[in-house]
Amino acid sequence: MSLDQNAPAAPATDGTAYPHLMEPLDLGFITLRNRVVMGSMHTGMEDGYRNLDDLAEFYATRARGGVGLIVTGGFSPTAAGMLYPGASVMTLRRHARAHRPITEAAHAEGAAILLQLLHAGRYAYHPLSVSASRIKAPINPFTPFALRGGQVWDTIEAFARSARLAAQAGYDGVEIMGSEGYFINQFLAPRTNQRRDGWGGSAANRRRLAVEIVRAIRAQVGPDFVIQYRISLLDLVPDGQPWAEVLDLATALEDAGVTIFNTGIGWHEARVPTIVTSVPRGAFVDVTAQLTRHVGVPVAASNRINMPELAEAVLARGDADLVSMARPFLADPEWVVKAGGGRADEINTCIACNQACLDHTFTGRRASCLVNPRAGHEREVVLTSAPTPQRVAVVGAGPAGMATATALAERGHHVDLYEANDHLGGQFALAMKIPGKEEFAETVRYFTRRIELTGVRLHLGKQVTVADLAEGGFDQVVLASGVTPRVLDLPGIDHPCVMSYAELLSGAREAGQRVAVIGAGGIGVDVCEYLTHVGHPSLNIAEWKKEWGVADPARPPGGLTEPAPAPSPREVTLLQRKPTPIGKGLGKTTGWVHRAALAAKGVRLVRGATYHRIDDAGLHITRLDREGRSVEQVIPVDTIVVCAGQESRRDLLEGLQSAGVSAQLIGGADVAAELDAKRAIDQGVRWAAQL
Ligand code: FAD
Ligand code: NAP
Ligand code: SF4
């Protein structure tokens, strides 16, 4: 897969391929063993100080995997700055003592570790939140109180106290969260800082909080302590910081004692996606390069860097001194040792889906990973050697089958994996055809390699039968035979204009100019993206920035300009029967991106539809008008794509039962409703872990 000019197509295969990435960084008082930073992730294990042992194991696993510098999830220096009631804080000596196992675990494995100090400001999800001004965030129901001048100084002191506690806990330094629209960022931008005292108004006043925090911390902790400041390069909101102010801030922070700049892109309330899978790899490295040239301390590039080829290219060009990645270490804790050992093709790549990490975090669940369900559950799901290796047949090489087969083989079982198609991936092989989901191909690449490495015997193009399984001498049979698209019981469903999403995406059929899509779940929305795009903007940084209105920050403040999406080549109507807003069931952190993309492409949305029939005139429906009255309508289309969910494929089950062979159902073959690859892979790995 060639993702853009930054990313060479073929993975590197020898250990010398990433010399810049593997080069140590001497900071004078501490040497980082390489240029790889594991960026801060709030996993949920930080909160309430109950799961710090799990958290220590989580970091130890990544440190063992070779990461140079780890940044913890965010800990607030004050109660008001907590993300939500009961969220993580670093305010007391007993907190520092509780962190000891974490720092010891990271150091024992050779990594340096920083505590992130995160004051949420107006993003705090509780009624006692505070900010520069009393202005509510569009993504939070709570309106913050504006801090009085004396309270601002108290908060600065609280940051310094937390940093001192971090030092007592054994941390090598702190990262100050100054980006993503949190508290410090709220003082920096005119959008949220409308104060008239010495903390607002001029740019110098607005940046004073950030500078005083760094000064106060440096005074508390002395010179031999890392102060990493996460600076917002592009706010991507109206009235964000002008670029000249960002550079002046960087200079002032450097003078105040910053050791490293980490970089952040976009506030949480920005309506431009910054980390989801449809954002091109390395989309914001050009802005990071401008900061790197401006300051004298090391700078870390971040956002949508997930594979070593790109990370190495960024460093080799001198665009940054370090590369910060977060989610890629959920997907693969061994990312660094694999890259360093010339085994990049073995990396389990983060596909930036957010399904098991950020979507979990924002719904109060522990962060994990769709492609690696062991992430965050290191002590719970363990793939130990099987006491008695068994012969196992796995039917179907979709996500469920691939994950089950490789996890079983890793434990020493003897596995035969059968797939009717001539390729791996199941429905995932269709998902990766969607513009903006090209990353999904990496998961298929990963499992292809994993199958080779674990010694799974793969039988492609083999439609396995009951007889094959009954006579194969297997101890266990796993049916991971997945799902088939639901066929609707609707007059005219056999009209030549009707096709399933599988027929469309596999290339077996082509859509015309006017298309109706029946079913507005994840697949219906994806099909609309497929129908309304020409090419793959997510593989082209310039094209993608034009689509979303991201500009060179030297021009509009905050880097935000008018989006100019390419027109859709088709007229598309997306329908569902429910009266609820279309796309409501999509991911918490990704749904809005899909809804915005459909709006930009002019997709017509119809909810509350009743389907009557299909004929040469088109799709006959009844729909609710704005007043809630039923209106009959014919949607004149030349293509109808059915995306009305799936049904489990279990055609072998009855025959196996009759033959006395018991079978384990995994993934879509088990339950089709609300199935996604997260559940399929998780179920497979957990089952394999206990066999
Ligand atoms: P499947 O993927 O259906 O795989 C079953 C496999 O079994 C198939 O390859 C089939 O050929 C094989 N098989 C069946 N019977 C036999 C037999 N008798 N012999 C041999 N082989 C057999 N999920 C997400 O989590 N996130 C997404 O963003 C996402 N996007 C999607 C986008 C699209 C366009 C599509 C189509 C799906 C998407 N999904 C997504 C859903 C995800 O792909 C499925 O949930 C997942 O693939 C189900 O995995 P599975 O292994 O259970 O079944
Ligand atoms: P889905 O989310 O269950 O949506 C199915 C759609 O079909 C719904 O809009 C449903 O809405 C409609 N429908 C169901 N039965 C119907 C019937 N008999 N007649 C007409 N319409 C019917 O399933 P999906 O879109 O097929 O996606 C499958 C899985 O893949 C989902 O669980 C999803 O999580 C996952 N996926 C995720 C993403 C992602 O970005 N995270 C993307 C793609 C897929 P109405 O009943 O209101 O009409
Ligand atoms: Fe990456 Fe998706 Fe895993 Fe999150 S769940 S770490 S985005 S692959």
Side-chain angles (χ1 to χ4, degrees):
M1 179 174 58
S2 179
L3 283 165
D4 70 23
Q5 68 278 9
N6 288 326
T13 50
D14 77 72
T16 57
Y18 311 114
H20 296 86
L21 200 55
M22 297 305 151
E23 190 187 348
L25 179 63
D26 184 357
L27 295 170
F29 55 93
I30 184 174
T31 299
L32 307 181
R33 60 182 163 182
N34 54 47
R35 303 302 178 102
V36 183
V37 180
M38 175 172 137
S40 174
M41 284 179 281
H42 197 80
T43 61
M45 289 181 269
E46 300 81 3
D47 301 334
Y49 284 81
R50 282 184 305 275
N51 299 305
L52 290 193
D53 286 346
D54 285 353
L55 193 59
E57 183 54 34
F58 174 78
Y59 292 133
T61 306
R62 273 79 198 161
R64 206 173 300 130
V67 171
L69 177 65
I70 291 173
V71 185
T72 67
F75 286 80
S76 176
T78 69
M82 280 193 293
L83 279 165
Y84 38 81
S88 47
V89 288
M90 173 61 89
T91 51
L92 301 170
R93 257 183 295 193
R94 70 178 159 82
H95 292 155
R97 280 195 298 277
H99 277 248
R100 272 270 161 204
I102 291 177
T103 55
E104 283 163 8
H107 290 153
E109 302 292 351
I113 183 162
L114 310 182
L115 180 87
Q116 192 192 61
L117 297 180
L118 165 68
H119 187 309
R122 71 177 193 156
Y123 285 166
Y125 203 79
H126 56 73
L128 299 177
S129 63
V130 297
S131 184
S133 301
R134 191 164 166 72
I135 305 170
K136 194 180 95 58
I139 55 171
N140 193 343
F142 300 104
T143 304
F145 294 99
L147 282 181
R148 291 192 301 275
Q151 292 173 314
V152 177
W153 282 115
D154 292 345
T155 309
I156 291 166
E157 275 170 33
F159 267 93
R161 178 180 161 76
S162 293
R164 196 179 64 230
L165 291 172
Q168 288 167 7
Y171 284 101
D172 301 290
V174 289
E175 176 175 89
I176 302 168
M177 177 41 125
S179 65
E180 323 304 286
Y182 286 114
F183 180 69
I184 296 175
N185 220 174
Q186 292 158 23
F187 270 74
L188 289 165
R191 173 182 180 79
T192 38
N193 183 344
Q194 294 172 8
R195 301 175 72 100
R196 299 215 176 103
D197 60 3
W199 304 101
S202 69
N205 281 356
R206 281 183 276 114
R207 68 172 164 263
R208 203 171 140 214
L209 172 79
V211 175
E212 294 295 351
I213 286 173
V214 173
R215 269 198 203 124
I217 291 177
R218 186 53 83 207
Q220 281 282 338
V221 296
D224 296 346
F225 190 74
V226 176
I227 300 181
Q228 177 161 292
Y229 182 94
R230 186 139 185 224
I231 189 167
S232 179
L233 293 183
L234 291 178
D235 291 337
L236 295 177
V237 290
D239 293 325
Q241 299 166 91
W243 183 241
E245 288 189 13
V246 175
L247 294 182
D248 288 346
L249 170 69
T251 305
L253 291 171
E254 191 180 344
D255 292 346
V258 159
T259 322
I260 300 173
F261 281 107
N262 195 358
T263 50
I265 304 289
W267 290 25
H268 285 318
E269 69 204 63
R271 291 297 89 181
V272 177
T274 54
I275 58 167
V276 302
T277 188
S278 56
V279 176
R281 286 183 183 181
F284 305 105
V285 170
D286 56 338
V287 202
T288 311
Q290 296 187 43
L291 178 72
T292 306
R293 284 196 289 274
H294 181 77
V295 295
V297 294
V299 173
S302 73
N303 284 59
R304 289 294 284 120
I305 300 173
N306 61 350
M307 286 298 275
E309 294 84 9
L310 172 57
E312 174 70 13
V314 169
L315 299 177
R317 285 197 303 260
D319 289 349
D321 307 284
L322 297 139
V323 172
S324 173
M325 294 167 284
R327 297 170 298 169
F329 291 105
L330 290 175
D332 197 333
E334 296 186 324
W335 195 102
V336 178
V337 288
K338 286 178 180 174
R343 299 185 287 124
D345 58 342
E346 294 177 27
I347 289 176
N348 195 1
T349 305
C350 164
I351 58 173
C353 65
N354 285 359
Q355 282 175 246
C357 52
L358 285 168
D359 284 350
H360 276 207
T361 304
F362 283 102
T363 48
R365 288 173 288 169
R366 183 179 286 196
S368 185
C369 176
L370 179 143
V371 298
N372 173 27
R374 297 185 59 216
H377 302 279
E378 279 77 14
R379 299 198 310 161
E380 178 193 336
V381 187
V382 186
L383 297 180
T384 51
S385 289
T388 321
Q390 302 194 27
R391 277 206 67 206
V392 188
V394 178
V395 181
M402 295 189 298
T404 313
T406 50
L408 285 170
E410 193 175 329
R411 296 194 57 220
H413 294 297
H414 307 292
V415 185
D416 285 87
L417 174 60
Y418 297 96
E419 171 53 54
N421 290 322
D422 60 3
H423 58 267
L424 295 168
Q427 298 251 322
F428 238 45
L430 298 177
M432 68 198 204
K433 304 268 180 67
I434 306 294
K437 282 198 167 172
E438 297 81 2
E439 288 282 6
F440 285 45
E442 294 283 12
T443 303
V444 178
R445 185 264 311 146
Y446 164 75
F447 277 116
T448 304
R449 185 77 181 111
R450 195 85 198 121
I451 285 166
E452 289 168 12
L453 290 169
T454 54
V456 169
R457 279 190 299 274
L458 175 64
H459 309 269
L460 285 178
K462 171 69 183 165
Q463 175 87 35
V464 78
T465 62
V466 170
D468 294 328
L469 297 169
E471 292 158 17
F474 297 106
D475 301 310
Q476 301 280 341
V477 171
V478 176
L479 283 185
S481 43
V483 290
T484 47
R486 177 173 289 128
V487 179
L488 295 186
D489 183 12
L490 185 66
I493 197 70
D494 52 357
H495 191 278
C497 75
V498 180
M499 62 182 74
S500 71
Y501 66 82
E503 288 174 302
L504 175 74
L505 297 176
S506 66
R509 306 270 305 270
E510 273 187 27
Q513 292 303 304
R514 294 171 307 161
V515 187
V517 177
I518 294 184
I523 292 178
V525 168
D526 273 355
V527 162
C528 289
E529 299 253 20
Y530 180 85
L531 292 167
T532 56
H533 279 83
V534 179
H536 293 260
S538 42
L539 299 183
N540 181 311
I541 293 175
E543 210 180 305
W544 178 87
K545 284 188 173 173
K546 211 167 132 203
E547 290 244 329
W548 286 94
V550 179
D552 185 322
R555 285 181 286 135
L560 204 58
T561 183
E562 206 49 48
S568 166
R570 298 183 179 84
E571 283 173 33
V572 178
T573 308
L574 174 63
L575 305 101
Q576 72 175 19
R577 297 174 303 177
K578 288 187 283 291
T580 48
I582 295 232
K584 205 166 187 292
L586 296 175
K588 180 101 178 152
T589 60
T590 52
W592 68 271
V593 182
H594 290 298
R595 288 190 291 273
L598 298 192
K601 296 291 184 182
V603 174
R604 280 191 293 266
L605 305 178
V606 176
R607 49 179 158 149
T610 306
Y611 312 115
H612 296 306
R613 66 182 185 283
I614 295 162
D615 59 23
D616 290 346
L619 176 62
H620 296 250
I621 65 164
T622 305
R623 61 181 295 178
L624 298 176
D625 69 10
R626 280 168 200 266
E627 279 75 46
R629 289 174 306 219
S630 282
V631 186
E632 297 221 344
Q633 189 183 346
V634 184
I635 303 178
V637 287
D638 42 35
T639 304
I640 294 173
V641 186
V642 180
C643 306
Q646 290 89 21
E647 274 151 20
S648 292
R649 191 166 168 190
R650 297 182 185 168
D651 37 324
L652 298 177
L653 188 61
E654 216 178 283
L656 286 174
Q657 281 165 347
S658 306
V661 179
S662 70
Q664 176 66 38
L665 296 166
I666 301 275
D670 184 22
V671 181
E674 294 177 10
L675 170 76
D676 59 19
K678 181 179 77 169
R679 175 150 65 81
I681 293 175
D682 183 75
Q683 191 185 7
V685 171
R686 282 176 190 268
W687 186 79
Q690 57 73 50
L691 181 67

